Amino acid sequence: MPVELKEAAEAAGTPILISNDATTYLMSMITQYLAVKLAERSSVHGVLVEVFGMGVLLTGESGVGKSETALALVQHGHRLIADDRVDVYQRDHETVVGEAPRILKHLMEIRGIGIIDVLKLFGIGAIKDETEISLVINLTNWDSKATMTAWASRKTPGSSAGSRLPRSLFRSRSAGTWKTSWKWPS
């Protein structure tokens, strides 16, 4: 590094970044890092799981069975990203990413049981820090008189960038009925 550059930087109180990487690679990595860290973030009420590598955001009213559904998925080898509150941000024009708030990482609250640590109970393979959200599923309480209608692709909850994600609506009788009546395919 030229002595003049070092002296000018010290006089101005400006740090100098030195790297063995090529300038174009380093600038690309810094830009990517800053884009993620400075992205506008929103919080969504729901549970985010990764099912067969696909991020699935479960939404619905309190008590509908989001956490119980996620726990059943984790028990069958899928991964928990976030329970109860999901922080979402727009990575690029096409990608919405979800993650758990730091204080809630790896934790789930199961009605009637309490708070469980998924990492300690199921191991490192049962959790992941973040995932791209590919599908939003809204769980609702069972209503035998209600008719099921397909949802159009809508703006992601909490996303100001207007990403469109596939959505589905599922009705469940109750958390207890859900657990006993639903079976995994063999």
Side-chain angles (χ1 to χ4, degrees):
M1 172 181 1
V3 175
E4 296 84 7
L5 177 62
K6 186 176 179 183
E7 290 173 354
E10 287 175 0
T14 303
I16 297 175
L17 178 64
I18 299 172
S19 174
N20 292 328
D21 293 324
T23 303
T24 52
Y25 173 77
L26 183 62
M27 292 303 296
S28 172
M29 296 305 294
I30 291 172
T31 301
Q32 257 183 329
Y33 175 81
L34 289 175
V36 168
K37 292 300 179 187
L38 300 177
E40 181 181 343
R41 294 176 190 279
S42 302
S43 290
V44 177
H45 175 72
V47 179
L48 181 59
V49 289
E50 192 176 79
V51 180
F52 296 118
M54 183 171 80
V56 179
L57 178 62
L58 304 172
T59 62
E61 294 180 21
S62 182
V64 77
K66 298 178 298 292
S67 295
E68 290 83 359
T69 301
L71 180 58
L73 288 166
V74 168
Q75 288 173 327
H76 285 86
H78 302 288
R79 293 175 158 186
L80 173 72
I81 312 303
D83 180 55
D84 195 44
R85 189 181 118 198
V86 182
D87 289 345
V88 296
Y89 67 93
Q90 191 86 31
R91 180 179 289 157
D92 55 43
H93 295 301
E94 300 294 322
T95 310
V96 176
V97 176
E99 61 188 2
R102 185 173 291 156
I103 195 166
L104 300 177
K105 233 172 216 179
H106 314 145
L107 301 177
M108 288 184 81
E109 183 178 5
I110 305 298
R111 198 171 301 273
I113 294 175
I115 297 173
I116 63 169
D117 186 329
V118 174
L119 175 62
K120 287 183 181 173
L121 284 174
F122 297 99
I124 193 74
I127 52 108
K128 189 174 176 187
D129 288 339
E130 68 176 28
T131 192
E132 294 179 11
I133 302 173
S134 301
L135 178 65
V136 178
I137 297 176
N138 188 51
L139 301 176
T140 64
N141 286 315
W142 179 259
D143 180 358
S144 60
K145 295 177 183 150
T147 57
M148 297 284 289
T149 58
W151 280 15
S153 183
R154 297 184 188 165
K155 187 175 176 183
T156 305
S159 171
S160 60
S163 289
R164 297 186 176 278
L165 297 171
R167 293 172 169 254
S168 295
L169 175 66
F170 288 90
R171 298 191 192 281
S172 64
R173 293 183 189 275
S174 71
T177 305
W178 175 267
K179 286 185 215 169
T180 58
S181 65
W182 191 74
K183 304 273 189 215
W184 282 94
S186 300

